[in-house]
């Protein structure tokens, strides 16, 4: 049984053995401690920057010990600095912007700005521009890879805009591979992309799936289902047998986009027989 100030050390030892723990986890390993003793130890360890809060469940907080390198970086930070750091940590890889920090910490905006500068200088947090709002920056731990809903994934450049050239390159490579190989699975396409080295960053299967989907929408490829020898229905992709026409006489008729269509009638000031666009279109028809 542990007593007195040794509660802090015992609980810290438990926390450091795991990726993260809750109060219930610590209670199971130290059944002789009370909820009050554990709460006191958590607060003391948080104040001394030996542990931090992680996750978004504020009703059942999780605690994690600092790695050695991280512990050096947080050494000397004040209580308010650590409060902002912990709020950022809890936001995970989706990050948090300053207005939410202000609400969760009750610190003034000027103070938060000053703390963020300090945390960035120490390499503890980083600012990321969100594709959802180009004027808004979110903050997350420097060690985290931003979520795709923040960066847009591999299809967005450093300027947070769609990388059209890269997307078109991958589309061309994928369509060429499928046309050469015949019906292929998503897994086969993803493996080919990985081995080809066409992308400097790793593309997950879901990324490749999004490219295949656009090629199907554009009628370059089509999705089919084949039954394997084991009787399993397998989804595959192949070159489209019936490409969609991008333009037909009916889709190019000027009346469909005419801004004064409702005023056009035979014999009027605006009429088919007076319309130069209609005359040009009619002359292009091949009867």
């Amino acid at each position: 049984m542990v007593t007195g100030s040794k509660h802090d050390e015992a609980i810290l030892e438990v926390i450091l053995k795991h990726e993260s723990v809750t109060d219930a986890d610590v209670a199971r390993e130290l059944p002789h401690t009370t909820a009050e003793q554990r709460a006191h130890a958590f607060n003391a360890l948080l104040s001394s920057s030996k542990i931090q809060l992680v996750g978004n469940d504020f009703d059942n907080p999780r605690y994690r010990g600092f790695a050695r390198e991280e512990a050096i970086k947080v050494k000397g930070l004040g209580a308010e600095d650590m409060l902002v750091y912990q709020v950022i940590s809890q936001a995970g890889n989706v990050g948090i912007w300053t207005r939410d920090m202000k609400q969760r910490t009750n610190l003034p905006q000027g103070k938060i700005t000053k703390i963020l500068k300090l945390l960035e200088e120490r390499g503890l947090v980083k600012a990321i521009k969100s594709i959802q709002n180009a004027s808004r920056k979110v903050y997350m731990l420097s060690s985290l890879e931003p979520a795709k809903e923040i960066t847009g994934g591999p299809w967005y450049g450093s300027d947070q805009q769609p990388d059209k050239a890269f997307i078109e390159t991958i589309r061309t490579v994928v369509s060429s591979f499928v046309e050469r190989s015949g019906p292929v699975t998503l897994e086969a396409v993803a493996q080919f992309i990985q081995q080809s080295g066409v992308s400097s960053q790793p593309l997950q299967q879901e990324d490749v799936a999004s490219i295949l989907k656009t090629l199907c929408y554009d009628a370059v490829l089509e999705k089919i289902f084949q039954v394997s020898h084991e009787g399993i229905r397998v989804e595959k992709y192949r070159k489209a047998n019936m490409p969609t026409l991008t333009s037909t006489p009916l889709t190019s008729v000027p009346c469909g986009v005419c801004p004064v269509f409702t005023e056009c009638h035979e014999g009027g000031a605006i009429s088919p027989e007076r319309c130069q666009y209609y005359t040009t279109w009619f002359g292009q028809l091949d009867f």
Side-chain angles (χ1 to χ4, degrees):
M1 179 177 177
V2 292
T3 58
S5 61
K6 291 187 178 181
H7 281 118
D8 298 359
E9 297 176 14
I11 290 176
L12 177 60
E13 185 178 340
V14 171
I15 294 173
L16 293 176
K17 288 194 302 182
H18 304 277
E19 179 66 26
S20 65
V21 298
T22 63
D23 177 64
D25 297 327
V26 175
R28 279 192 292 272
E29 295 201 31
L30 299 175
H32 300 295
T33 59
T34 66
E36 183 179 355
Q37 290 169 336
R38 293 192 299 275
H40 181 275
F42 289 139
N43 288 332
L45 293 170
L46 286 168
S47 299
S48 60
S49 302
K50 293 181 179 179
I51 64 172
Q52 63 176 308
L53 287 167
V54 293
N56 293 311
D57 190 349
F58 296 100
D59 295 326
N60 187 30
R62 300 191 70 86
Y63 303 91
R64 180 176 74 86
F66 284 106
R68 180 178 179 83
E69 182 181 348
E70 197 175 13
I72 295 173
K73 290 181 179 179
V74 301
K75 186 177 181 180
L77 292 180
E80 292 179 337
D81 303 329
M82 285 304 301
L83 177 60
V84 173
Y85 178 77
Q86 288 160 9
V87 166
I88 295 174
S89 175
Q90 289 174 317
N93 66 348
V94 296
I96 183 172
W97 70 309
T98 53
R99 189 183 71 176
D100 291 336
M101 289 185 211
K102 184 178 179 181
Q103 292 176 344
R104 294 188 185 183
T105 63
N106 289 321
L107 294 174
Q109 184 62 54
K111 184 67 175 179
I112 290 176
T113 301
K114 184 177 180 181
I115 292 173
L116 287 173
K117 183 179 180 182
L118 172 63
L119 296 178
E120 286 188 278
E121 288 175 349
R122 292 200 178 196
L124 289 166
V125 304
K126 61 184 176 183
I128 301 292
K129 286 185 178 180
S130 171
I131 62 168
Q132 300 169 2
N133 190 327
S135 62
R136 178 188 301 180
K137 290 192 296 185
V138 296
Y139 291 83
M140 65 185 65
L141 298 185
S142 297
S143 58
L144 297 180
E145 188 68 26
K148 287 186 177 180
E149 57 261 40
I150 300 300
T151 64
W155 311 128
Y156 282 72
S158 57
D159 59 354
Q160 304 302 104
Q161 297 298 316
D163 191 339
K164 296 180 181 179
F166 177 60
I167 294 171
E168 195 54 42
T169 297
I170 299 298
R171 278 170 50 92
T172 301
V173 170
V174 169
S175 61
S176 298
F177 171 70
V178 174
E179 290 178 17
R180 292 195 312 269
S181 307
V184 292
T185 62
L186 165 62
E187 292 76 14
V189 178
Q191 184 178 16
F192 170 75
I193 291 295
Q194 182 180 5
Q195 294 175 346
S196 70
V198 68
S199 174
S200 60
Q201 53 184 316
L203 297 180
Q204 305 300 320
Q205 281 193 17
E206 61 187 39
D207 301 322
V208 178
S210 67
I211 289 294
L212 287 167
K213 186 179 294 185
T214 66
L215 290 168
C216 288
Y217 286 154
D218 291 342
V220 176
L221 304 178
E222 63 182 6
K223 181 167 62 175
I224 62 172
F225 293 92
Q226 293 182 339
V227 178
S228 67
H229 295 298
E230 295 79 17
I232 301 174
R233 193 164 177 257
V234 181
E235 182 180 285
K236 292 187 176 182
Y237 297 86
R238 70 181 183 189
K239 181 180 179 180
N241 287 329
M242 296 181 63
T244 300
L245 294 175
T246 57
S247 178
T248 69
L250 288 178
T251 58
S252 60
V253 62
C255 306
V257 293
C258 180
V260 290
F261 174 78
T262 56
E263 301 175 33
C264 182
H265 60 273
E266 189 175 351
I270 300 175
S271 63
E273 60 266 28
R274 292 172 177 266
C275 179
Q276 60 178 351
Y277 303 109
Y278 186 84
T279 302
T280 301
W281 167 78
F282 194 79
Q284 293 174 344
L285 297 181
D286 185 13
F287 293 101

